[in-house]
Amino acid sequence: MQAEVRKAAGMICQARKTVALTGAGISVESGIPDFRSAGGLWERFDPMEYGTIDAFRVNPEKVWRMLREMSAVISRARPNAGHDGLTRLQRMGLLHTIITQNIDSLHQEAGAVRVIEYHGNSRTLSCLWCGQQYRADELDGEQPPKCACGRILKPDVIFFGETIPEEPLRESYKLASSCQILLVVGTSAEVIPASTIPYAAKMAKAKIIEINVKPTWLTASLTDIFLEGEAGKVVTGLVHEVKRLMR
Ligand code: APR
């Protein structure tokens, strides 16, 4: 493994542009369960009943039972060594942008500057009926949160059945198609269109470095270097090796 870390660090030092794609796995060590591992969110809440935009329109109170649990866990979470390590790479000028599927804002809390929130974020909420938008921290804590028009608000995160807004979609594809390295951290790459990002990078001849506790469908198909382990530990080791090489 150490040889693989050294090789990955060397590639990152040499690359003109490295982009990261992160998923729920990078926030697991911050106490936020991921979706598809054992004990993950979709094991407790059926995504077809709680995670689709139709489910929200039909029964927002029910979906807010899941959202309440998620927001309680997110509000207690702090960035972990995985987030901090990616921020350090960015500050060293070795990581251009972080494309995250996560809605927890932990990359920004860790000081990352260029972050594309591919699935939106939970900092703001909108009314599907009248379009009014609110900041989560300006609401009075009523559960579920309501709009002035009386309807239940929806967090500005992308539910299944919703399209990714044009800006993050285009920007992410442009970055994937112009990077030399795509650092894929803590994602099962099960969800389209986010899961097309590694493919776009590969088509543009980028090298894929994957960090995960276990292999995914990417590992045997697109990944060039697979660094097995928890994101916090592996990213920290990678940054340590990059620093050693940069001396
Ligand atoms: N370190 C590294 N990887 C980890 C860790 C960890 N500590 N813990 C879990 N993982 C890995 C799992 O092995 C898995 O491959 O993180 C991945 C998490 O996969 P998912 O739970 O499917 O989460 P993600 O890939 O982010 O899901 C994508 O699906 O449900 C939607 O909108 C939701 O953004 C989410 C999208």
Side-chain angles (χ1 to χ4, degrees):
M1 168 76 158
Q2 194 45 35
E4 292 294 84
V5 171
R6 198 167 301 126
K7 195 170 154 210
M11 287 160 61
I12 289 171
C13 292
Q14 301 297 324
R16 191 168 37 79
K17 186 192 284 183
T18 295
V19 171
L21 170 67
T22 67
I26 199 171
S27 296
V28 164
E29 293 151 81
S30 295
I32 304 176
D34 68 11
F35 294 92
R36 294 173 182 83
S37 296
L41 197 76
W42 294 148
E43 200 174 83
R44 285 171 295 122
F45 295 97
D46 178 344
M48 296 323 291
E49 274 188 61
Y50 290 88
T52 69
I53 186 62
D54 291 343
F56 187 88
R57 284 187 195 283
V58 167
N59 192 340
E61 293 86 349
K62 177 177 175 184
V63 173
W64 264 103
R65 284 206 291 276
M66 175 197 68
L67 292 172
R68 206 172 4 266
E69 183 176 307
M70 275 181 90
S71 45
V73 167
I74 287 173
S75 62
R76 291 193 298 269
R78 293 291 165 266
N80 66 59
H83 301 101
D84 294 340
L86 294 187
T87 298
R88 274 207 300 282
L89 285 179
Q90 238 184 11
R91 288 178 177 157
M92 293 164 78
L94 295 173
L95 178 59
H96 186 276
T97 299
I98 299 167
I99 303 166
T100 188
Q101 300 170 83
N102 301 339
I103 61 163
D104 55 31
S105 307
L106 290 181
H107 284 300
Q108 293 92 323
E109 278 187 42
V113 286
R114 279 179 309 283
V115 179
I116 294 178
E117 293 176 310
Y118 204 75
H119 290 156
N121 66 71
S122 50
R123 293 189 301 276
T124 55
L125 301 90
S126 297
C127 178
L128 294 181
W129 289 269
C130 76
Q132 178 75 21
Q133 189 181 54
Y134 298 80
R135 285 204 337 263
D137 59 15
E138 70 180 349
L139 294 169
D140 61 7
E142 181 192 9
Q143 288 295 343
K146 286 199 179 71
C147 177
C149 79
R151 306 299 290 252
I152 293 176
L153 292 170
K154 172 188 165 291
D156 289 336
V157 300
I158 306 295
F159 278 62
F160 291 116
E162 288 190 284
T163 52
I164 307 294
E166 174 58 28
E167 167 65 19
L169 195 69
R170 193 183 56 247
E171 192 54 28
S172 299
Y173 187 78
K174 214 169 83 188
L175 285 163
S177 311
S178 61
C179 69
Q180 281 74 48
I181 292 181
L182 184 71
L183 187 55
V184 180
V185 189
T187 182
S188 64
E190 294 286 334
V191 172
I192 291 173
S195 57
T196 64
I197 291 171
Y199 194 72
K202 198 74 183 180
M203 288 300 103
K205 306 275 181 278
K207 295 291 183 196
I208 310 274
I209 299 171
E210 183 183 10
I211 297 174
N212 201 309
V213 289
K214 60 181 192 287
T216 65
W217 70 267
L218 292 173
T219 313
S221 54
L222 300 181
T223 296
D224 294 286
I225 297 184
F226 179 58
L227 302 177
E228 185 158 2
E230 294 188 331
K233 212 180 279 100
V234 176
V235 171
T236 301
L238 189 60
V239 173
H240 180 81
E241 190 58 28
V242 163
K243 282 186 168 167
R244 196 185 63 79
L245 292 173
M246 298 288 280
R247 270 192 218 123

PDB file of all heavy atoms in Angstrom, residues 23-26 28-29 34-37 42 101-102 119 158 160 186-191 211-214 216 229-232, ligand 1:
ATOM      1  N   GLY A  23     -17.825  11.519  -2.024  1.00  0.00           N
ATOM      2  CA  GLY A  23     -19.161  11.024  -1.697  1.00  0.00           C
ATOM      3  C   GLY A  23     -19.291  10.868  -0.196  1.00  0.00           C
ATOM      4  O   GLY A  23     -18.411  11.256   0.575  1.00  0.00           O
ATOM      5  N   ALA A  24     -20.398  10.271   0.200  1.00  0.00           N
ATOM      6  CA  ALA A  24     -20.754  10.176   1.627  1.00  0.00           C
ATOM      7  C   ALA A  24     -19.671   9.513   2.468  1.00  0.00           C
ATOM      8  O   ALA A  24     -19.531   9.772   3.661  1.00  0.00           O
ATOM      9  CB  ALA A  24     -22.063   9.397   1.759  1.00  0.00           C
ATOM     10  N   GLY A  25     -18.847   8.670   1.842  1.00  0.00           N
ATOM     11  CA  GLY A  25     -17.816   7.955   2.604  1.00  0.00           C
ATOM     12  C   GLY A  25     -16.820   8.870   3.269  1.00  0.00           C
ATOM     13  O   GLY A  25     -16.302   8.558   4.343  1.00  0.00           O
ATOM     14  N   ILE A  26     -16.567  10.064   2.679  1.00  0.00           N
ATOM     15  CA  ILE A  26     -15.583  10.958   3.306  1.00  0.00           C
ATOM     16  C   ILE A  26     -16.146  11.586   4.578  1.00  0.00           C
ATOM     17  O   ILE A  26     -15.393  12.053   5.427  1.00  0.00           O
ATOM     18  CB  ILE A  26     -15.098  12.039   2.309  1.00  0.00           C
ATOM     19  CG1 ILE A  26     -13.765  12.652   2.804  1.00  0.00           C
ATOM     20  CG2 ILE A  26     -16.166  13.142   2.101  1.00  0.00           C
ATOM     21  CD1 ILE A  26     -13.075  13.566   1.819  1.00  0.00           C
ATOM     22  N   VAL A  28     -18.220   9.849   6.715  1.00  0.00           N
ATOM     23  CA  VAL A  28     -18.591   8.807   7.688  1.00  0.00           C
ATOM     24  C   VAL A  28     -17.811   8.996   8.992  1.00  0.00           C
ATOM     25  O   VAL A  28     -18.354   8.871  10.092  1.00  0.00           O
ATOM     26  CB  VAL A  28     -18.359   7.388   7.088  1.00  0.00           C
ATOM     27  CG1 VAL A  28     -18.343   6.320   8.165  1.00  0.00           C
ATOM     28  CG2 VAL A  28     -19.430   7.085   6.032  1.00  0.00           C
ATOM     29  N   GLU A  29     -16.523   9.358   8.887  1.00  0.00           N
ATOM     30  CA  GLU A  29     -15.711   9.552  10.107  1.00  0.00           C
ATOM     31  C   GLU A  29     -16.084  10.840  10.849  1.00  0.00           C
ATOM     32  O   GLU A  29     -15.567  11.103  11.929  1.00  0.00           O
ATOM     33  CB  GLU A  29     -14.223   9.541   9.734  1.00  0.00           C
ATOM     34  CG  GLU A  29     -13.745   8.167   9.245  1.00  0.00           C
ATOM     35  CD  GLU A  29     -12.598   8.277   8.258  1.00  0.00           C
ATOM     36  OE1 GLU A  29     -11.444   8.443   8.666  1.00  0.00           O
ATOM     37  OE2 GLU A  29     -12.891   8.193   7.045  1.00  0.00           O
ATOM     38  N   ASP A  34     -23.227   6.780   5.702  1.00  0.00           N
ATOM     39  CA  ASP A  34     -23.395   6.920   4.252  1.00  0.00           C
ATOM     40  C   ASP A  34     -24.737   6.321   3.863  1.00  0.00           C
ATOM     41  O   ASP A  34     -25.612   6.128   4.709  1.00  0.00           O
ATOM     42  CB  ASP A  34     -22.183   6.305   3.520  1.00  0.00           C
ATOM     43  CG  ASP A  34     -22.106   4.788   3.663  1.00  0.00           C
ATOM     44  OD1 ASP A  34     -23.089   4.187   4.155  1.00  0.00           O
ATOM     45  OD2 ASP A  34     -21.071   4.206   3.303  1.00  0.00           O
ATOM     46  N   PHE A  35     -24.966   6.096   2.592  1.00  0.00           N
ATOM     47  CA  PHE A  35     -26.292   5.666   2.129  1.00  0.00           C
ATOM     48  C   PHE A  35     -26.391   4.162   1.943  1.00  0.00           C
ATOM     49  O   PHE A  35     -27.412   3.556   2.306  1.00  0.00           O
ATOM     50  CB  PHE A  35     -26.615   6.369   0.788  1.00  0.00           C
ATOM     51  CG  PHE A  35     -26.766   7.855   0.932  1.00  0.00           C
ATOM     52  CD1 PHE A  35     -25.684   8.706   0.747  1.00  0.00           C
ATOM     53  CD2 PHE A  35     -27.998   8.400   1.293  1.00  0.00           C
ATOM     54  CE1 PHE A  35     -25.824  10.084   0.901  1.00  0.00           C
ATOM     55  CE2 PHE A  35     -28.153   9.775   1.445  1.00  0.00           C
ATOM     56  CZ  PHE A  35     -27.059  10.619   1.255  1.00  0.00           C
ATOM     57  N   ARG A  36     -25.318   3.570   1.370  1.00  0.00           N
ATOM     58  CA  ARG A  36     -25.473   2.180   0.902  1.00  0.00           C
ATOM     59  C   ARG A  36     -24.653   1.158   1.669  1.00  0.00           C
ATOM     60  O   ARG A  36     -24.751  -0.024   1.388  1.00  0.00           O
ATOM     61  CB  ARG A  36     -25.151   2.125  -0.606  1.00  0.00           C
ATOM     62  CG  ARG A  36     -26.194   2.908  -1.430  1.00  0.00           C
ATOM     63  CD  ARG A  36     -25.846   3.039  -2.906  1.00  0.00           C
ATOM     64  NE  ARG A  36     -26.885   3.835  -3.562  1.00  0.00           N
ATOM     65  CZ  ARG A  36     -26.897   5.172  -3.564  1.00  0.00           C
ATOM     66  NH1 ARG A  36     -25.921   5.854  -2.960  1.00  0.00           N
ATOM     67  NH2 ARG A  36     -27.877   5.859  -4.139  1.00  0.00           N
ATOM     68  N   SER A  37     -23.821   1.588   2.612  1.00  0.00           N
ATOM     69  CA  SER A  37     -23.103   0.594   3.424  1.00  0.00           C
ATOM     70  C   SER A  37     -24.088   0.022   4.444  1.00  0.00           C
ATOM     71  O   SER A  37     -25.193   0.558   4.636  1.00  0.00           O
ATOM     72  CB  SER A  37     -21.915   1.246   4.155  1.00  0.00           C
ATOM     73  OG  SER A  37     -20.970   1.726   3.226  1.00  0.00           O
ATOM     74  N   TRP A  42     -30.158   4.467   3.487  1.00  0.00           N
ATOM     75  CA  TRP A  42     -31.167   3.773   2.638  1.00  0.00           C
ATOM     76  C   TRP A  42     -31.521   2.398   3.180  1.00  0.00           C
ATOM     77  O   TRP A  42     -32.441   1.761   2.705  1.00  0.00           O
ATOM     78  CB  TRP A  42     -30.683   3.681   1.195  1.00  0.00           C
ATOM     79  CG  TRP A  42     -30.537   4.979   0.471  1.00  0.00           C
ATOM     80  CD1 TRP A  42     -29.633   5.270  -0.502  1.00  0.00           C
ATOM     81  CD2 TRP A  42     -31.281   6.207   0.664  1.00  0.00           C
ATOM     82  NE1 TRP A  42     -29.784   6.559  -0.952  1.00  0.00           N
ATOM     83  CE2 TRP A  42     -30.791   7.167  -0.241  1.00  0.00           C
ATOM     84  CE3 TRP A  42     -32.339   6.590   1.503  1.00  0.00           C
ATOM     85  CZ2 TRP A  42     -31.303   8.458  -0.331  1.00  0.00           C
ATOM     86  CZ3 TRP A  42     -32.845   7.875   1.416  1.00  0.00           C
ATOM     87  CH2 TRP A  42     -32.335   8.795   0.510  1.00  0.00           C
ATOM     88  N   GLN A 101     -20.701  15.166  -3.776  1.00  0.00           N
ATOM     89  CA  GLN A 101     -22.105  14.738  -3.831  1.00  0.00           C
ATOM     90  C   GLN A 101     -22.778  14.987  -2.481  1.00  0.00           C
ATOM     91  O   GLN A 101     -23.979  14.780  -2.329  1.00  0.00           O
ATOM     92  CB  GLN A 101     -22.209  13.251  -4.179  1.00  0.00           C
ATOM     93  CG  GLN A 101     -21.584  12.894  -5.520  1.00  0.00           C
ATOM     94  CD  GLN A 101     -21.484  11.395  -5.710  1.00  0.00           C
ATOM     95  OE1 GLN A 101     -22.442  10.727  -6.114  1.00  0.00           O
ATOM     96  NE2 GLN A 101     -20.314  10.845  -5.402  1.00  0.00           N
ATOM     97  N   ASN A 102     -21.971  15.402  -1.503  1.00  0.00           N
ATOM     98  CA  ASN A 102     -22.465  15.551  -0.136  1.00  0.00           C
ATOM     99  C   ASN A 102     -23.151  16.898   0.052  1.00  0.00           C
ATOM    100  O   ASN A 102     -22.814  17.881  -0.600  1.00  0.00           O
ATOM    101  CB  ASN A 102     -21.311  15.400   0.871  1.00  0.00           C
ATOM    102  CG  ASN A 102     -20.621  14.047   0.744  1.00  0.00           C
ATOM    103  OD1 ASN A 102     -21.215  13.099   0.219  1.00  0.00           O
ATOM    104  ND2 ASN A 102     -19.373  13.964   1.151  1.00  0.00           N
ATOM    105  N   HIS A 119     -25.066  17.838  -5.582  1.00  0.00           N
ATOM    106  CA  HIS A 119     -26.429  17.496  -5.136  1.00  0.00           C
ATOM    107  C   HIS A 119     -27.010  18.567  -4.238  1.00  0.00           C
ATOM    108  O   HIS A 119     -27.902  18.296  -3.431  1.00  0.00           O
ATOM    109  CB  HIS A 119     -26.420  16.130  -4.414  1.00  0.00           C
ATOM    110  CG  HIS A 119     -26.177  14.983  -5.359  1.00  0.00           C
ATOM    111  ND1 HIS A 119     -25.668  13.773  -4.962  1.00  0.00           N
ATOM    112  CD2 HIS A 119     -26.339  14.889  -6.707  1.00  0.00           C
ATOM    113  CE1 HIS A 119     -25.543  12.983  -6.023  1.00  0.00           C
ATOM    114  NE2 HIS A 119     -25.938  13.637  -7.087  1.00  0.00           N
ATOM    115  N   ILE A 158     -30.740  17.808  -4.045  1.00  0.00           N
ATOM    116  CA  ILE A 158     -31.324  17.155  -5.219  1.00  0.00           C
ATOM    117  C   ILE A 158     -31.912  15.802  -4.814  1.00  0.00           C
ATOM    118  O   ILE A 158     -31.184  14.924  -4.342  1.00  0.00           O
ATOM    119  CB  ILE A 158     -30.253  16.956  -6.326  1.00  0.00           C
ATOM    120  CG1 ILE A 158     -29.579  18.288  -6.666  1.00  0.00           C
ATOM    121  CG2 ILE A 158     -30.868  16.312  -7.570  1.00  0.00           C
ATOM    122  CD1 ILE A 158     -30.477  19.335  -7.282  1.00  0.00           C
ATOM    123  N   PHE A 160     -33.955  12.216  -5.822  1.00  0.00           N
ATOM    124  CA  PHE A 160     -34.100  11.361  -7.004  1.00  0.00           C
ATOM    125  C   PHE A 160     -35.291  11.874  -7.816  1.00  0.00           C
ATOM    126  O   PHE A 160     -36.325  12.225  -7.261  1.00  0.00           O
ATOM    127  CB  PHE A 160     -34.343   9.902  -6.582  1.00  0.00           C
ATOM    128  CG  PHE A 160     -33.146   9.242  -5.949  1.00  0.00           C
ATOM    129  CD1 PHE A 160     -33.190   8.828  -4.626  1.00  0.00           C
ATOM    130  CD2 PHE A 160     -31.963   9.058  -6.663  1.00  0.00           C
ATOM    131  CE1 PHE A 160     -32.084   8.232  -4.024  1.00  0.00           C
ATOM    132  CE2 PHE A 160     -30.863   8.455  -6.064  1.00  0.00           C
ATOM    133  CZ  PHE A 160     -30.925   8.059  -4.749  1.00  0.00           C
ATOM    134  N   GLY A 186     -14.522   8.044  -1.359  1.00  0.00           N
ATOM    135  CA  GLY A 186     -15.706   7.704  -0.551  1.00  0.00           C
ATOM    136  C   GLY A 186     -17.013   7.756  -1.295  1.00  0.00           C
ATOM    137  O   GLY A 186     -18.010   8.268  -0.776  1.00  0.00           O
ATOM    138  N   THR A 187     -17.025   7.218  -2.532  1.00  0.00           N
ATOM    139  CA  THR A 187     -18.304   7.139  -3.236  1.00  0.00           C
ATOM    140  C   THR A 187     -18.453   5.768  -3.874  1.00  0.00           C
ATOM    141  O   THR A 187     -17.501   5.179  -4.372  1.00  0.00           O
ATOM    142  CB  THR A 187     -18.464   8.242  -4.306  1.00  0.00           C
ATOM    143  OG1 THR A 187     -19.751   8.124  -4.920  1.00  0.00           O
ATOM    144  CG2 THR A 187     -17.394   8.175  -5.385  1.00  0.00           C
ATOM    145  N   SER A 188     -19.693   5.264  -3.857  1.00  0.00           N
ATOM    146  CA  SER A 188     -19.975   3.978  -4.516  1.00  0.00           C
ATOM    147  C   SER A 188     -20.147   4.186  -6.010  1.00  0.00           C
ATOM    148  O   SER A 188     -20.234   3.237  -6.780  1.00  0.00           O
ATOM    149  CB  SER A 188     -21.269   3.391  -3.947  1.00  0.00           C
ATOM    150  OG  SER A 188     -22.358   4.274  -4.270  1.00  0.00           O
ATOM    151  N   ALA A 189     -20.235   5.437  -6.432  1.00  0.00           N
ATOM    152  CA  ALA A 189     -20.427   5.803  -7.849  1.00  0.00           C
ATOM    153  C   ALA A 189     -21.648   5.066  -8.427  1.00  0.00           C
ATOM    154  O   ALA A 189     -21.640   4.608  -9.572  1.00  0.00           O
ATOM    155  CB  ALA A 189     -19.166   5.484  -8.662  1.00  0.00           C
ATOM    156  N   GLU A 190     -22.681   4.947  -7.612  1.00  0.00           N
ATOM    157  CA  GLU A 190     -23.905   4.245  -8.037  1.00  0.00           C
ATOM    158  C   GLU A 190     -24.935   5.171  -8.671  1.00  0.00           C
ATOM    159  O   GLU A 190     -25.920   4.734  -9.225  1.00  0.00           O
ATOM    160  CB  GLU A 190     -24.578   3.583  -6.809  1.00  0.00           C
ATOM    161  CG  GLU A 190     -23.780   2.454  -6.174  1.00  0.00           C
ATOM    162  CD  GLU A 190     -23.811   1.184  -7.015  1.00  0.00           C
ATOM    163  OE1 GLU A 190     -24.784   1.017  -7.767  1.00  0.00           O
ATOM    164  OE2 GLU A 190     -22.855   0.413  -6.933  1.00  0.00           O
ATOM    165  N   VAL A 191     -24.757   6.503  -8.485  1.00  0.00           N
ATOM    166  CA  VAL A 191     -25.838   7.421  -8.871  1.00  0.00           C
ATOM    167  C   VAL A 191     -25.430   8.256 -10.085  1.00  0.00           C
ATOM    168  O   VAL A 191     -24.392   8.909 -10.082  1.00  0.00           O
ATOM    169  CB  VAL A 191     -26.208   8.331  -7.675  1.00  0.00           C
ATOM    170  CG1 VAL A 191     -27.174   9.424  -8.095  1.00  0.00           C
ATOM    171  CG2 VAL A 191     -26.824   7.481  -6.571  1.00  0.00           C
ATOM    172  N   ILE A 211     -10.041   6.261  -3.432  1.00  0.00           N
ATOM    173  CA  ILE A 211      -9.875   5.980  -1.988  1.00  0.00           C
ATOM    174  C   ILE A 211     -11.222   5.506  -1.460  1.00  0.00           C
ATOM    175  O   ILE A 211     -12.241   6.194  -1.576  1.00  0.00           O
ATOM    176  CB  ILE A 211      -9.426   7.251  -1.222  1.00  0.00           C
ATOM    177  CG1 ILE A 211      -8.045   7.711  -1.712  1.00  0.00           C
ATOM    178  CG2 ILE A 211      -9.428   6.996   0.288  1.00  0.00           C
ATOM    179  CD1 ILE A 211      -7.588   9.041  -1.116  1.00  0.00           C
ATOM    180  N   ASN A 212     -11.216   4.277  -0.899  1.00  0.00           N
ATOM    181  CA  ASN A 212     -12.466   3.705  -0.405  1.00  0.00           C
ATOM    182  C   ASN A 212     -12.117   2.562   0.546  1.00  0.00           C
ATOM    183  O   ASN A 212     -11.042   1.985   0.456  1.00  0.00           O
ATOM    184  CB  ASN A 212     -13.303   3.172  -1.588  1.00  0.00           C
ATOM    185  CG  ASN A 212     -14.776   3.034  -1.239  1.00  0.00           C
ATOM    186  OD1 ASN A 212     -15.127   2.426  -0.227  1.00  0.00           O
ATOM    187  ND2 ASN A 212     -15.654   3.602  -2.054  1.00  0.00           N
ATOM    188  N   VAL A 213     -13.048   2.267   1.452  1.00  0.00           N
ATOM    189  CA  VAL A 213     -12.792   1.143   2.382  1.00  0.00           C
ATOM    190  C   VAL A 213     -12.963  -0.202   1.684  1.00  0.00           C
ATOM    191  O   VAL A 213     -12.539  -1.239   2.185  1.00  0.00           O
ATOM    192  CB  VAL A 213     -13.720   1.211   3.631  1.00  0.00           C
ATOM    193  CG1 VAL A 213     -13.315   2.358   4.543  1.00  0.00           C
ATOM    194  CG2 VAL A 213     -15.190   1.313   3.226  1.00  0.00           C
ATOM    195  N   LYS A 214     -13.643  -0.157   0.530  1.00  0.00           N
ATOM    196  CA  LYS A 214     -13.755  -1.423  -0.213  1.00  0.00           C
ATOM    197  C   LYS A 214     -13.888  -1.088  -1.702  1.00  0.00           C
ATOM    198  O   LYS A 214     -14.268   0.028  -2.076  1.00  0.00           O
ATOM    199  CB  LYS A 214     -14.960  -2.241   0.275  1.00  0.00           C
ATOM    200  CG  LYS A 214     -16.323  -1.600   0.135  1.00  0.00           C
ATOM    201  CD  LYS A 214     -17.398  -2.548   0.702  1.00  0.00           C
ATOM    202  CE  LYS A 214     -18.806  -2.121   0.358  1.00  0.00           C
ATOM    203  NZ  LYS A 214     -19.312  -0.966   1.074  1.00  0.00           N
ATOM    204  N   THR A 216     -15.178  -0.633  -5.536  1.00  0.00           N
ATOM    205  CA  THR A 216     -16.483  -0.311  -6.129  1.00  0.00           C
ATOM    206  C   THR A 216     -16.436  -0.773  -7.592  1.00  0.00           C
ATOM    207  O   THR A 216     -15.428  -1.333  -8.027  1.00  0.00           O
ATOM    208  CB  THR A 216     -16.699   1.217  -6.123  1.00  0.00           C
ATOM    209  OG1 THR A 216     -15.701   1.794  -7.011  1.00  0.00           O
ATOM    210  CG2 THR A 216     -16.527   1.784  -4.717  1.00  0.00           C
ATOM    211  N   GLY A 229      -8.857   1.927   2.319  1.00  0.00           N
ATOM    212  CA  GLY A 229      -8.808   2.355   3.710  1.00  0.00           C
ATOM    213  C   GLY A 229      -9.761   3.506   3.968  1.00  0.00           C
ATOM    214  O   GLY A 229     -10.417   4.009   3.057  1.00  0.00           O
ATOM    215  N   GLU A 230      -9.815   3.908   5.219  1.00  0.00           N
ATOM    216  CA  GLU A 230     -10.701   5.015   5.589  1.00  0.00           C
ATOM    217  C   GLU A 230     -10.136   6.335   5.049  1.00  0.00           C
ATOM    218  O   GLU A 230      -8.919   6.562   5.106  1.00  0.00           O
ATOM    219  CB  GLU A 230     -10.846   5.066   7.107  1.00  0.00           C
ATOM    220  CG  GLU A 230     -11.566   3.846   7.681  1.00  0.00           C
ATOM    221  CD  GLU A 230     -11.876   4.016   9.158  1.00  0.00           C
ATOM    222  OE1 GLU A 230     -11.101   4.733   9.836  1.00  0.00           O
ATOM    223  OE2 GLU A 230     -12.870   3.444   9.611  1.00  0.00           O
ATOM    224  N   ALA A 231     -11.038   7.149   4.544  1.00  0.00           N
ATOM    225  CA  ALA A 231     -10.615   8.389   3.885  1.00  0.00           C
ATOM    226  C   ALA A 231      -9.695   9.219   4.770  1.00  0.00           C
ATOM    227  O   ALA A 231      -8.654   9.714   4.315  1.00  0.00           O
ATOM    228  CB  ALA A 231     -11.847   9.194   3.500  1.00  0.00           C
ATOM    229  N   GLY A 232     -10.044   9.366   6.051  1.00  0.00           N
ATOM    230  CA  GLY A 232      -9.229  10.215   6.939  1.00  0.00           C
ATOM    231  C   GLY A 232      -7.781   9.768   6.957  1.00  0.00           C
ATOM    232  O   GLY A 232      -6.856  10.559   6.743  1.00  0.00           O
TER     233      GLY A 232
HETATM  234  N1  APR B   1     -13.646   6.083   4.024  1.00  0.00           N
HETATM  235  C1  APR B   1     -13.716   5.892   2.680  1.00  0.00           C
HETATM  236  N2  APR B   1     -14.793   5.364   2.054  1.00  0.00           N
HETATM  237  C2  APR B   1     -15.836   5.019   2.832  1.00  0.00           C
HETATM  238  C3  APR B   1     -15.845   5.174   4.237  1.00  0.00           C
HETATM  239  C4  APR B   1     -14.684   5.733   4.827  1.00  0.00           C
HETATM  240  N3  APR B   1     -14.587   5.921   6.154  1.00  0.00           N
HETATM  241  N4  APR B   1     -17.035   4.720   4.713  1.00  0.00           N
HETATM  242  C5  APR B   1     -17.746   4.307   3.638  1.00  0.00           C
HETATM  243  N5  APR B   1     -17.026   4.473   2.511  1.00  0.00           N
HETATM  244  C6  APR B   1     -17.427   4.199   1.136  1.00  0.00           C
HETATM  245  C7  APR B   1     -18.359   3.017   0.955  1.00  0.00           C
HETATM  246  O1  APR B   1     -17.607   1.829   0.771  1.00  0.00           O
HETATM  247  C8  APR B   1     -19.104   3.419  -0.323  1.00  0.00           C
HETATM  248  O2  APR B   1     -18.411   2.983  -1.485  1.00  0.00           O
HETATM  249  O3  APR B   1     -18.150   5.328   0.694  1.00  0.00           O
HETATM  250  C9  APR B   1     -19.086   4.944  -0.299  1.00  0.00           C
HETATM  251  C10 APR B   1     -20.437   5.550   0.043  1.00  0.00           C
HETATM  252  O4  APR B   1     -21.329   5.194  -0.975  1.00  0.00           O
HETATM  253  P1  APR B   1     -22.848   5.657  -0.869  1.00  0.00           P
HETATM  254  O5  APR B   1     -23.372   5.351   0.482  1.00  0.00           O
HETATM  255  O6  APR B   1     -23.540   5.101  -2.075  1.00  0.00           O
HETATM  256  O7  APR B   1     -22.762   7.259  -0.969  1.00  0.00           O
HETATM  257  P2  APR B   1     -22.508   8.114  -2.273  1.00  0.00           P
HETATM  258  O8  APR B   1     -21.636   7.396  -3.234  1.00  0.00           O
HETATM  259  O9  APR B   1     -22.081   9.446  -1.832  1.00  0.00           O
HETATM  260  O10 APR B   1     -24.001   8.218  -2.878  1.00  0.00           O
HETATM  261  C11 APR B   1     -24.185   9.079  -3.972  1.00  0.00           C
HETATM  262  O11 APR B   1     -26.546   8.725  -3.753  1.00  0.00           O
HETATM  263  O12 APR B   1     -28.355   8.497  -2.411  1.00  0.00           O
HETATM  264  C12 APR B   1     -27.705   9.370  -3.226  1.00  0.00           C
HETATM  265  O13 APR B   1     -27.767  11.708  -3.135  1.00  0.00           O
HETATM  266  C13 APR B   1     -27.234  10.594  -2.471  1.00  0.00           C
HETATM  267  O14 APR B   1     -25.210  11.871  -2.842  1.00  0.00           O
HETATM  268  C14 APR B   1     -25.725  10.567  -2.622  1.00  0.00           C
HETATM  269  C15 APR B   1     -25.536   9.707  -3.867  1.00  0.00           C
END
